[in-house]
Amino acid sequence: PFWLKALDFRLKVAQDSENMAATKEEDVQMMLVCKTHLGTRNVDYRMKRYIFRRTVEGIHIIHLGKTWEKLMVAARMIVAIENAQDIIVASQRPYGSRAVLKFSQYTGANPLAGRWTPGTLTNQITQKYLEPRLLIVTDPRTDSQAIKEASYASIPVIALCDTDSPLENVDVAIPANNKGKESIALLYWMLAREVLYLRGTLPRTQPWDVMVDSFFWRDPEEIMQQEEAQQDWAQPAAAPTTWEGAGGGGNWDDITQAAQGDASWDAPAAADDWSAPAGGSSW
């Protein structure tokens, strides 16, 4: 009957809301650990609505509740696009390059990590010309060229914005620390997880088995040092030496042989006359 279906729907909505509330609390705790709430000393007048308070040192603290809400809005915008290849995720900041690639791997978006080629969205002659339906950037200041071209092509923009980020031509600003590698990785990880939840590929009752650590940017020198250390550990250890037969097979009991043949300690010293003048020279 109709009333039974309506009751089931209400129960499902209530259960989903409980899961969302629990997820929000856990996500806010993870944001605190990754220092997503730490802003800068400067603040843009359009970012004041996302500021919670200001510390004694002058650092502006971002309201993480609003950060989480904007993440949910951005995830719904991403899900509304049928073809995931029509979404471009760009990051000229090195700390966001790995996170962008991982986000695109799990959501199917088109990653553009590294330098942005001017004319990607406006110059139709170039081979890399793209016509996306959505643009996601890591920092509005470093990715200003991409945002400017998106405004020319009327493409909506989602951006991770710090307290001092300019908001020109940004449609959805996610207030967060976009300068730390942990913060950037966590935001892209949460965005990818919510997209999978909304698409139905991952049930909301089941935690995502992908670790946040895989989104972290890693220094190439640090990776090389770790590989060298692992190779050193993997090399076989030298054969242990034993006291038996040490010293080239010598015998410790044979102490009669002196350094100079069969010399004896009882023999008198060389017949040198100490009273003789040295070298025969007169003083």
Side-chain angles (χ1 to χ4, degrees):
F2 175 76
W3 63 271
L4 189 59
K5 291 182 180 179
L7 183 61
D8 291 341
F9 178 74
R10 289 183 180 180
L11 289 174
K12 185 177 180 181
V13 169
Q15 187 177 6
D16 288 345
S17 62
E18 291 178 1
N19 293 334
M20 288 284 287
T23 304
K24 180 179 180 180
E25 185 176 353
E26 295 174 359
D27 291 347
V28 169
Q29 291 177 357
M30 293 174 67
M31 289 183 196
L32 289 171
V33 172
C34 293
K35 299 178 181 179
T36 307
H37 61 292
L38 295 181
T40 60
R41 295 180 183 273
N42 301 325
V43 60
D44 191 271
Y45 71 96
R46 288 160 295 191
M47 289 292 294
K48 284 185 178 179
R49 69 183 79 175
Y50 304 116
I51 303 302
F52 175 66
R53 58 186 292 268
R54 187 180 181 186
T55 63
V56 180
E57 293 82 8
I59 304 297
H60 292 86
I61 304 299
I62 297 171
H63 197 300
L64 291 182
K66 296 181 179 180
T67 302
W68 190 84
E69 292 174 359
K70 280 304 190 76
L71 277 171
M72 300 301 109
V73 172
R76 280 157 175 77
M77 288 180 62
I78 295 171
V79 173
I81 297 174
E82 298 84 3
N83 185 12
Q85 283 292 318
D86 290 339
I87 303 171
I88 289 182
V89 192
S91 174
Q92 292 196 55
R93 190 180 289 275
Y95 282 176
S97 57
R98 183 179 175 88
V100 161
L101 294 173
K102 285 290 182 180
F103 174 84
S104 303
Q105 175 186 346
Y106 293 111
T107 59
N110 188 11
L112 287 180
R115 181 179 179 274
W116 175 273
T117 304
T120 301
L121 306 180
T122 54
N123 191 354
Q124 301 180 6
I125 302 175
T126 58
Q127 295 180 352
K128 293 184 178 180
Y129 176 70
L130 297 172
E131 293 182 285
R133 295 183 58 189
L134 180 65
L135 175 66
I136 305 173
V137 297
T138 306
D139 188 357
R141 201 175 296 278
T142 57
D143 299 316
S144 59
Q145 179 67 27
I147 294 178
K148 184 183 295 184
E149 293 183 14
S151 67
Y152 292 157
S154 300
I155 298 169
V157 176
I158 300 173
L160 306 182
C161 299
D162 212 329
T163 56
D164 60 345
S165 296
L167 296 185
E168 284 90 357
N169 302 317
V170 175
D171 297 282
V172 175
I174 302 175
N177 175 15
N178 61 8
K179 296 174 176 59
K181 58 181 179 181
E182 294 89 359
S183 175
I184 294 173
L186 177 65
L187 291 169
Y188 275 110
W189 180 83
M190 291 171 56
L191 194 59
R193 185 195 60 181
E194 186 63 25
V195 168
L196 295 179
Y197 281 156
L198 293 174
R199 285 178 178 171
T201 56
L202 186 69
R204 199 173 285 276
T205 55
Q206 174 185 347
W208 198 20
D209 55 355
V210 176
M211 299 292 291
V212 191
D213 304 18
S214 62
F215 282 67
F216 285 175
W217 181 82
R218 297 179 63 190
D219 190 2
E221 296 180 358
E222 181 182 350
I223 297 174
M224 291 178 61
Q225 292 177 0
Q226 291 181 357
E227 291 178 353
E228 291 176 357
Q230 291 177 359
Q231 290 178 0
D232 294 341
W233 280 103
Q235 289 178 356
T241 57
T242 58
W243 289 101
E244 300 176 358
N251 189 359
W252 287 93
D253 297 330
D254 189 8
I255 57 174
T256 59
Q257 295 182 357
Q260 298 178 356
D262 296 332
S264 176
W265 288 96
D266 299 332
D272 294 335
D273 189 3
W274 289 91
S275 59
S281 59
S282 60
W283 292 89

